[in-house]
Amino acid sequence: AGKGLLTGLPKLISEEGLWSTFSGLWAMLAKQVPYTFGKQVSFDVFAGFLYVFFSALQENATWLSDSQTKWAVSVIAAFMASIIACIFSQPGDMILTETYRPKDPKAKVAVDRNFADVINSIYTKGGASGFFTGTGARIVHVGLIITSQLVIYDIVKQMLGLPATGSH
């Protein structure tokens, strides 16, 4: 007991300074900004393209109802957006992981490293492709989560009376 934010934050600030609380900010932004952009924007763009595609199909055959079309567009666009989000945010995820990785594998705590040093370390180990290490596994793991999030997001929007993503 007594080892929470109220006791830990003042100790951190007194020992390492106020700015230490923001030490991983650039690494976090390098991951989250491309991830969010890739997820939300590509979902909207893919959904818009799919509505155009399905409406062209509907002119020749009415094999999908409007609700089925909305469901199909939502799932397909969400899946495609999840792949884009994973690819866009993978370099940032590598930066974030490397930022908090101890230089010495036996150490339990990462040494404070600046953003440029982290980028240089990744590039030195694997070149530009080093920033995309693990992308396949990330697509499988995170892609399912993102797809689920976006489908739920679209369903909730429609339940609130808002148009389905990309349908307007």
Side-chain angles (χ1 to χ4, degrees), residues 19-31 96 99-100 115:
W19 292 112
S20 69
T21 59
F22 300 100
S23 65
L25 181 64
W26 292 113
M28 201 138 341
L29 288 174
K31 176 186 176 187
L96 190 61
T99 297
Y100 293 108
F115 191 66

Side-chain angles (χ1 to χ4, degrees), residues 30 95 98 113-124 131:
I95 292 168
E98 188 70 21
R113 300 165 68 192
N114 72 42
F115 191 66
D117 288 344
V118 170
I119 291 173
N120 188 44
S121 172
I122 295 169
Y123 188 78
T124 301
F131 289 95

Side-chain angles (χ1 to χ4, degrees), residues 83-164:
I83 293 170
I84 296 296
C86 287
I87 292 169
F88 277 24
S89 64
Q90 182 63 25
D93 194 46
M94 289 299 296
I95 292 168
L96 190 61
T97 300
E98 188 70 21
T99 297
Y100 293 108
R101 180 181 317 225
K103 284 186 178 182
D104 178 8
K106 295 175 186 172
K108 292 185 179 183
V109 180
V111 177
D112 192 22
R113 300 165 68 192
N114 72 42
F115 191 66
D117 288 344
V118 170
I119 291 173
N120 188 44
S121 172
I122 295 169
Y123 188 78
T124 301
K125 289 178 190 173
S129 63
F131 289 95
F132 293 94
T133 301
T135 303
R138 182 176 173 82
I139 289 172
V140 171
H141 177 247
V142 179
L144 182 59
I145 295 167
I146 296 170
T147 301
S148 302
Q149 287 174 339
L150 290 172
V151 169
I152 292 167
Y153 164 75
D154 211 30
I155 290 169
V156 170
K157 275 180 61 176
Q158 293 172 52
M159 288 172 54
L160 294 172
L162 298 168

Side-chain angles (χ1 to χ4, degrees), residues 2-65:
K3 294 197 178 209
L5 180 64
L6 295 177
T7 57
L9 186 60
K11 182 179 177 184
L12 175 69
I13 292 170
S14 70
E15 290 178 7
E16 298 183 28
L18 178 64
W19 292 112
S20 69
T21 59
F22 300 100
S23 65
L25 181 64
W26 292 113
M28 201 138 341
L29 288 174
K31 176 186 176 187
Q32 287 305 123
V33 170
Y35 166 80
T36 304
F37 173 81
K39 180 174 81 167
Q40 294 303 132
V41 173
S42 65
F43 181 51
D44 199 46
V45 169
F46 286 135
F49 285 143
L50 287 167
Y51 274 111
V52 169
F53 174 75
F54 280 119
S55 68
L57 286 179
Q58 294 290 74
E59 290 176 5
N60 298 326
T62 55
W63 53 279
L64 280 177
S65 68

